[in-house]
Amino acid sequence: MTLSVAMNAQAQTQQQQQATTDNREPDAVVVISGIRGSLQQSLSVKRNASSNVDVITAEDVGKMPDKNVADSLQRVPGVNISTSGAGSGGFDENDRVSLRGTAPSLTQTLINGHAVSSGEWFVLDQVGGAVGRSTSYSLLPSEIVGQVVVYKAPTAEQVEGGSSGTIDIRTRHPLDFRQPISLEAGVEAVYATLPKKTDPQVNVLFNWKNEQGTLGLMAQGFSEKRSLRRDGQELLQWTQVQPDNPALKAHPDLAHVWFPRLIGSALFQQERHRTGGLIDLQFKPSRDFNLEATYFRSKMDASNYNTNYMIDMNGSGALGSGVAPDPGYVIRNGTLVSASFTNKGTTASPLRYGVVDEIVRNGEYAQSEFFDLDGKWRPTSNLTITAKVGSTKGKGVTPQQGVYEGDINNSGLVYTLNGLGSPATVKLPGINTSVFTGTILDWVFGSAPASTDDKETYGQIDAAFQLNAGAFHEIRFGLRGTEHTRTNFEVAQGPNWANTDVGGSSTNPAWNGTTYPGNFAKDLGGDFPKNVWMLDRAILDAWGTLHSNRDVSRTYYPDMFNLKEKTKAFYVQGEMEGEGWSGNVGLRVVRTEGTSNGYQILPNQPVGGNLPAFPWGGYVQQTATGNNSTIPLPSLNLKFDLRSDVVARVGLSRTMTRPDYGALGGTVELTDETHTGNGGNAALKPVKSNNLDLTLQWYYAPHALLSAGLFYMDLKDYVGYGTSTGTFIDTRASQERKQAVFATYTITSPINVSAKVKGLELAAQVPLGMGFGLDGNVTLADSHLNSCPPMQTATSGNPCDMVGASKTTANGGLFFENDTWNARVSYSWRSAFLAAQDRGTPLYQDDTGTLAASFNYNISKNIVLTISGQNLNNPILKNYIYNKDQPARFYANGAQYYAGVRIKY
């Protein structure tokens, strides 16, 4: 992270500046400083804090081995991170943040105290809305950060929205800098081991303020490019053998047995280019008046190429189509873990045993921006008034997809699942996987174009009045209102029938002999197809434009929705203080008025109706569902000085989170091949949580701390999942038969349930002397639904599991610093957790640990050499379905190395 030339001065005066910009007393935050000089100051502030919050400063982020704010946040007790939002899978960069064994959507992320809209770059997250209200940290470079505040015990004055907590990212301010002119530049090169590419990253900051310190301007710009490659094996669309499957006549033991429809050699390649900047203009003519305008914009270009060479258990020669496996198949834990199907197809009557997907998404991107105007005025010595107005926008766009799906015929197939120990063993014995010749065009699919737009306007006014009323020394009160909209759009891309030979090979794209990289899956091991043909990216993109129908007439309403929410909130909060204790008590009341507009496809035109026709048959009807609520949110925080070196805190609160946009949207995302889907529920209630937070801290020596905390969350109207059946249009069958085909689908949709979370946080900060030190934390969480859906089979995983809940999270680091150089090594680990609901089944991520390190050398007081590494242990991300005999993903992303120089003036 690029540091300010005046950063040391900033660290010394940070508390006073925070009170100026955020209408908060200096003792209302806890500063977790990184290395040496700031340790004593941070512990002193932490000891005097009245509520349980944690903070990472800009200096800490710069000296930790982190390239992303989420990387640093995982070192805070109780914080969990994940590497993707939903459908995009796991990558090498931390992207989502959650608190205390809950889903990321229950953790609210703010910038300078206001919401931030962020788009999603992956197409399935754009049209499905699965990510919801969580924020993508991949759009938030650490260079903009002055301070990150983690609120675990909320107060009434805080913006509602985080049932488990709130993270507030605070940018730097022009008048915080000590010198009239400050200039910073950071230039780095990042090398990624899998793609074997080196890319540049540049960050520049200029700050000016007048001699009087009343007017300042700060401008930041960044251009950060990274090459990614992810090697994987994906086991997709897990399903059960249905009672009407003809194979059961000879093999009744296969009834209800689980098997993966697809097992593929998955190669994902991407170039991420994050560009943007921040401009801040600050005017402070006196200590009693401050006005500040801030504009931020970040865009991440995320073009990518995804290829997957798969066996297909639903192919015409395999189990899903009623063909019994060869003798010797193995069933374990309700799962068909080993099976073979000898080829029975001929040239005249081919049978399908596999399918290949080649998908290029050029121009895919995500974007986030906001404009914020903050003001503070102190008309009298006892009264302070602050106000904030602004707007934020997020956008995710997939302008086009070049998609080729091909059939692998007459090959036979063999597979054996190896649990999570190694990828599944896969063979297609009758075909050369490295040669394109003989592949038959199956289909052209995809959402293209597709987009999501997210917008919010907000305004608030707050006041703080000092008084002398016994234990109360200040009263705070305020009003806030917002208007939020979210919309998405999708065209269901299909074949251009005028020039495309579906079911043949006459219009196949040209193949120039390209295959997967020679070292594909070297880190995964296992025995599955690795020397696999692939199309040239440019050839596929041009072929897709020529042979795809992306006309707006193919607008796919079942995946679309639009939401509007208006909120109003007011609060009153009293600040208290007595002999050996302090705290605050308050009440916030929140009114939400929402409308969800979705679409459904009717088989017939209603009597007297005039509904528009759906391209694949049936008629489009728009639906509108209102969803209003008024929720009181009381809070109480108390701090007790038990001894001069022991501090105890108690927090009681009620918090809320509005349901995810995708959950409210009513959208139904269907998988035609298995007649399953995921749907929304526009009538979902907001999640409410009654919270207890107990913390004990022992400052047993200078620069040292041992702390323990207990937390408990009683969640009402938590969003769980249930299943139902409904009649929907089978789009693929309708296109093939040229008429409307409706079928019965099993839909997994969100429902309101109750849940509980309880846990323990342990943290230590230990100076070892001679510039060395270590820190670490462990969080133990027990999270579960109170009312659970029925188990799918006797061997299913726990249906009471909550999304995002790891039972154990641990972080540890060793650091050294002197006047010339500093170094740090950190390791983070979390146990298995339910990551998402995927195509009607749960998707768990197995235990994961990552190693990172950094080294900074001060060439001079103005020039610093930086070296760091991420994912140095080359972690393998592993997913499974109901149990570990049902693997779902194996991903290797390699390691990333950074080297560069920071210049300060």
Side-chain angles (χ1 to χ4, degrees):
M1 177 176 180
T2 306
L3 301 183
S4 167
V5 65
M7 186 59 70
N8 290 335
Q10 285 181 257
Q12 295 172 2
T13 61
Q14 192 170 20
Q15 299 172 41
Q16 291 79 5
Q17 293 161 351
Q18 193 60 57
T20 298
T21 58
D22 295 304
N23 190 30
R24 183 181 298 278
E25 293 301 318
D27 67 352
V29 296
V30 181
V31 179
I32 302 177
S33 295
I35 301 177
R36 207 180 62 162
S38 60
L39 289 179
Q40 181 59 47
Q41 179 189 10
S42 67
L43 293 184
S44 176
V45 176
K46 188 177 185 73
R47 184 183 308 182
N48 295 325
S50 60
S51 59
N52 186 17
V53 298
D54 294 318
V55 170
I56 300 174
T57 67
E59 183 177 9
D60 292 333
V61 174
K63 291 184 178 180
M64 288 181 178
D66 306 322
K67 312 309 296 184
N68 179 298
V69 177
D71 295 337
S72 297
L73 282 169
Q74 69 181 320
R75 309 187 202 292
V76 174
V79 173
N80 291 330
I81 53 86
S82 55
T83 61
S84 69
S88 55
F91 292 102
D92 59 5
E93 181 179 18
N94 290 319
D95 184 62
R96 306 284 157 166
V97 175
S98 59
L99 293 172
R100 293 179 164 176
T102 62
S105 59
L106 296 185
T107 298
Q108 178 175 238
T109 295
L110 307 174
I111 294 185
N112 294 334
H114 62 77
V116 54
S117 292
S118 65
E120 308 299 334
W121 64 263
F122 183 55
V123 61
L124 294 184
D125 295 338
Q126 294 165 3
V127 298
V131 176
R133 297 181 189 266
S134 63
T135 298
S136 173
Y137 280 73
S138 64
L139 286 167
L140 304 177
S142 55
E143 282 72 25
I144 71 169
V145 175
Q147 187 181 76
V148 184
V149 185
V150 181
Y151 294 97
K152 297 178 180 177
T155 61
E157 66 181 341
Q158 292 172 17
V159 176
E160 75 285 347
S163 289
S164 59
T166 295
I167 297 171
D168 189 10
I169 300 172
R170 297 173 178 174
T171 61
R172 291 183 279 180
H173 309 286
L175 298 183
D176 289 352
F177 290 81
R178 184 174 59 182
Q179 301 297 331
I181 294 179
S182 298
L183 179 65
E184 309 171 9
V187 180
E188 279 189 321
V190 52
Y191 174 77
T193 58
L194 277 187
K196 295 185 177 181
K197 291 184 179 180
T198 302
D199 297 301
Q201 301 197 336
V202 179
N203 298 274
V204 178
L205 179 147
F206 172 80
N207 191 81
W208 168 87
K209 70 175 185 178
N210 61 8
E211 294 182 359
Q212 295 78 22
T214 59
L215 182 65
L217 174 67
M218 182 182 69
Q220 294 181 260
F222 52 86
S223 175
E224 301 174 338
K225 186 177 181 182
R226 285 201 315 124
S227 296
L228 288 78
R229 189 183 115 190
R230 185 183 69 189
D231 296 355
Q233 184 186 78
E234 296 179 337
L235 299 91
L236 306 173
Q237 297 182 19
W238 277 84
T239 188
Q240 290 176 283
V241 180
Q242 299 302 309
D244 59 351
N245 191 307
L248 295 182
K249 294 179 181 180
H251 302 277
D253 57 332
L254 289 171
H256 303 294
V257 167
W258 287 89
F259 66 92
R261 178 200 162 183
L262 304 166
I263 306 179
S265 305
L267 172 64
F268 182 90
Q269 301 174 87
Q270 185 178 49
E271 299 82 37
R272 294 187 179 183
H273 191 190
R274 183 171 59 196
T275 58
L278 183 144
I279 299 176
D280 191 311
L281 178 64
Q282 186 177 10
F283 176 56
K284 187 179 180 183
S286 71
R287 65 189 300 267
D288 296 326
F289 184 83
N290 182 76
L291 186 64
E292 189 167 4
T294 308
Y295 175 76
F296 168 79
R297 183 178 186 272
S298 177
K299 179 182 179 184
M300 188 172 76
D301 293 306
S303 296
N304 56 85
Y305 188 16
N306 192 29
T307 62
N308 208 346
Y309 195 97
M310 302 169 280
I311 66 168
D312 185 1
M313 288 285 286
N314 273 7
S316 54
L319 181 60
S321 295
V323 178
D326 299 339
Y329 60 85
V330 178
I331 299 173
R332 184 175 63 244
N333 204 5
T335 306
L336 186 62
V337 297
S338 182
S340 63
F341 296 83
T342 302
N343 175 44
K344 297 176 183 178
T346 65
T347 302
S349 300
L351 294 177
R352 188 176 82 240
Y353 293 92
V355 64
V356 183
D357 285 348
E358 306 259 322
I359 308 172
V360 60
R361 305 180 184 97
N362 286 334
E364 200 165 45
Y365 72 89
Q367 183 175 298
S368 179
E369 66 179 321
F370 69 80
F371 175 77
D372 186 59
L373 185 63
D374 279 278
K376 175 189 172 183
W377 177 41
R378 188 166 66 177
T380 71
S381 60
N382 293 328
L383 178 64
T384 301
I385 299 173
T386 60
K388 182 192 301 287
V389 294
S391 65
T392 179
K393 299 178 181 179
K395 192 176 185 69
V397 175
T398 299
Q400 64 185 48
Q401 293 192 74
V403 178
Y404 174 84
E405 183 175 74
D407 288 342
I408 304 169
N409 292 334
N410 299 344
S411 63
L413 70 85
V414 180
Y415 80 85
T416 299
L417 305 183
N418 302 309
L420 294 182
S422 68
T425 301
V426 176
K427 304 288 185 182
L428 289 153
I431 197 168
N432 184 349
T433 63
S434 66
V435 177
F436 178 51
T437 305
T439 305
I440 304 300
L441 174 61
D442 180 287
W443 202 248
V444 176
F445 64 88
S447 302
S451 63
T452 294
D453 288 274
D454 192 87
K455 300 177 182 179
E456 180 170 299
T457 57
Y458 53 87
Q460 69 182 70
I461 185 168
D462 303 86
F465 184 76
Q466 297 181 9
L467 67 160
N468 185 10
F472 289 92
H473 65 87
E474 185 176 72
I475 185 170
R476 301 176 182 179
F477 49 93
L479 300 169
R480 184 174 188 265
T482 70
E483 181 171 302
H484 195 111
T485 60
R486 188 177 182 93
T487 62
N488 67 354
F489 174 78
E490 177 186 6
V491 168
Q493 174 177 267
N496 182 350
W497 293 105
N499 63 5
T500 306
D501 179 22
V502 175
S505 57
S506 62
T507 55
N508 273 352
W511 178 57
N512 62 3
T514 304
T515 60
Y516 279 19
N519 63 348
F520 171 75
K522 68 178 181 63
D523 296 322
L524 295 177
D527 184 8
F528 60 99
K530 298 176 182 178
N531 185 21
V532 176
W533 65 262
M534 62 186 299
L535 299 172
D536 180 86
R537 182 171 179 165
I539 292 174
L540 177 58
D541 189 50
W543 182 91
T545 299
L546 180 63
H547 292 280
S548 301
N549 184 352
R550 301 166 180 161
D551 190 82
V552 70
S553 64
R554 296 176 62 88
T555 298
Y556 194 66
Y557 295 97
D559 274 359
M560 292 168 50
F561 65 89
N562 65 82
L563 299 174
K564 177 178 285 188
E565 284 182 348
K566 293 184 178 181
T567 72
K568 304 179 182 67
F570 72 88
Y571 75 90
V572 61
Q573 177 176 313
E575 298 294 313
M576 305 178 292
E577 188 172 11
E579 183 66 28
W581 69 276
S582 61
N584 55 71
V585 61
L587 175 67
R588 186 178 190 91
V589 179
V590 180
R591 172 68 176 172
T592 303
E593 298 175 351
T595 302
S596 172
N597 296 292
Y599 301 89
Q600 64 181 112
I601 311 302
L602 303 181
N604 302 298
Q605 181 78 259
V607 176
N610 189 28
L611 298 179
F614 189 51
W616 297 274
Y619 299 87
V620 181
Q621 177 176 271
Q622 186 169 16
T623 62
T625 305
N627 195 330
N628 303 331
S629 64
T630 302
I631 301 175
L633 304 174
S635 63
L636 171 67
N637 291 282
L638 296 173
K639 169 185 138 337
F640 301 94
D641 296 316
L642 303 182
R643 290 188 339 200
S644 61
D645 59 349
V646 178
V647 174
R649 293 188 180 85
V650 179
L652 294 169
S653 64
R654 193 184 197 210
T655 52
M656 67 162 287
T657 298
R658 300 173 184 92
D660 287 348
Y661 302 116
L664 285 172
T667 299
V668 178
E669 182 180 351
L670 302 173
T671 301
D672 292 331
E673 292 83 354
T674 58
H675 286 169
T676 60
N678 297 320
N681 181 354
L684 286 173
K685 300 176 183 178
V687 181
K688 280 85 67 180
S689 179
N690 296 320
N691 312 303
L692 170 64
D693 188 273
L694 302 174
T695 306
L696 186 66
Q697 299 168 343
W698 179 29
Y699 301 85
Y700 67 92
H703 312 287
L705 170 67
L706 295 176
S707 70
L710 295 173
F711 58 88
Y712 176 79
M713 301 172 61
D714 184 9
L715 292 151
K716 305 297 184 184
D717 295 322
Y718 179 79
V719 180
Y721 289 90
T723 60
S724 60
T725 60
T727 300
F728 298 90
I729 189 167
D730 187 327
T731 305
R732 182 159 186 166
S734 298
Q735 292 187 89
E736 291 174 343
R737 301 181 191 179
K738 305 295 193 299
Q739 63 181 24
V741 177
F742 288 82
T744 300
Y745 285 71
T746 299
I747 305 300
T748 300
S749 57
I751 57 175
N752 285 123
V753 297
S754 60
K756 285 184 171 60
V757 180
K758 57 184 178 181
L760 170 68
E761 296 175 351
L762 302 173
Q765 184 171 289
V766 182
L768 301 177
M770 301 181 65
F772 288 93
L774 60 84
D775 56 14
N777 62 75
V778 176
T779 301
L780 307 175
D782 179 13
S783 309
H784 63 272
L785 304 179
N786 293 338
S787 55
C788 311
M791 298 182 71
Q792 295 287 328
T793 70
T795 59
S796 294
N798 190 346
C800 296
D801 288 336
M802 294 174 61
V803 173
S806 284
K807 293 185 180 299
T808 305
T809 304
N811 300 282
L814 176 67
F815 59 85
F816 172 82
E817 183 179 53
N818 61 24
D819 293 336
T820 303
W821 62 282
N822 66 74
R824 186 180 183 101
V825 178
S826 297
Y827 184 77
S828 300
W829 183 87
R830 68 179 298 185
S831 62
F833 64 98
L834 177 60
Q837 290 287 332
D838 180 60
R839 299 173 176 90
T841 62
L843 181 66
Y844 288 85
Q845 180 168 306
D846 197 28
D847 306 344
T848 307
T850 59
L851 178 68
S854 67
F855 175 84
N856 298 311
Y857 177 73
N858 300 319
I859 298 176
S860 70
K861 68 176 183 177
N862 294 326
I863 303 176
V864 179
L865 175 67
T866 66
I867 301 174
S868 64
Q870 294 284 95
N871 300 306
L872 296 177
N873 59 326
N874 194 18
I876 305 301
L877 303 179
K878 301 177 182 180
N879 296 95
Y880 58 94
I881 306 298
Y882 287 109
N883 56 66
K884 294 186 179 183
D885 282 323
Q886 299 174 346
R889 315 280 194 278
F890 295 86
Y891 289 138
N893 290 282
Q896 301 78 43
Y897 297 91
Y898 295 79
V901 62
R902 294 197 302 263
I903 301 173
K904 306 178 293 183
Y905 171 75

